[in-house]
Amino acid sequence: MTHTARRIGRSLALVLPVVLVLSGTLAVTMVPWADNTPSQMLTASAEDVSVPQKPAAAHEVLRDKLLSELQQGTDPGVVLTHLQQEVDKRPTTLAAHCVGIARALGEAAVKVVGPTKAQSYARPVCDTSYATGVLSAS
């Protein structure tokens, strides 16, 4: 009997400090005066650690904005004009991505207005990428 009691005592002597430290750490992170910003928050689990997202690149923001305009019913010709204006404003940032954006607009225009009407809006914005997008989606 004393052997079993000794074993239980030793187990508690090892486990109890760990439990107290962990519960104390969690309690300290939840006090009202603690800084609760995500970067300062302490966690007891590595699973809760998240990697901060990078902000979207300028060309991704522009592409999403123009696709949204097109899906909301804006004329594809107007959307292509907006693309050209933005590329003219920031050529060093957007010129390399103009072809991809124009192609995505062409593909989206087919879904919105159909292939024949979408093709009628084709113009030489970023070469013939819009027309290529219309063709690939048709």
Side-chain angles (χ1 to χ4, degrees), residues 40-63:
Q40 297 295 321
M41 197 130 183
L42 299 175
T43 59
S45 171
E47 294 173 15
D48 295 335
V49 176
S50 61
V51 178
Q53 289 185 335
K54 294 180 183 177
H59 69 278
E60 293 170 342
V61 171
L62 177 62
R63 181 194 63 227

Side-chain angles (χ1 to χ4, degrees), residues 1-25:
M1 183 83 170
T2 59
H3 182 63
T4 305
R6 228 181 241 159
R7 232 199 273 154
I8 292 172
R10 284 183 185 163
S11 296
L12 283 175
L14 290 174
V15 173
L16 193 58
V18 173
V19 171
L20 291 173
V21 167
L22 287 177
S23 63
T25 302

Side-chain angles (χ1 to χ4, degrees), residues 10-100:
R10 284 183 185 163
S11 296
L12 283 175
L14 290 174
V15 173
L16 193 58
V18 173
V19 171
L20 291 173
V21 167
L22 287 177
S23 63
T25 302
L26 292 174
V28 168
T29 63
M30 301 310 287
V31 293
W33 60 84
D35 184 9
N36 287 331
T37 59
S39 63
Q40 297 295 321
M41 197 130 183
L42 299 175
T43 59
S45 171
E47 294 173 15
D48 295 335
V49 176
S50 61
V51 178
Q53 289 185 335
K54 294 180 183 177
H59 69 278
E60 293 170 342
V61 171
L62 177 62
R63 181 194 63 227
D64 293 346
K65 176 185 167 218
L66 294 174
L67 286 172
S68 177
E69 280 184 30
L70 189 62
Q71 291 168 351
Q72 291 174 0
T74 303
D75 184 270
V78 173
V79 175
L80 284 172
T81 299
H82 291 162
L83 172 60
Q84 187 64 57
Q85 290 169 342
E86 290 297 321
V87 171
D88 289 345
K89 280 186 210 172
R90 300 180 286 171
T92 56
T93 307
L94 298 174
H97 304 285
C98 186
V99 170

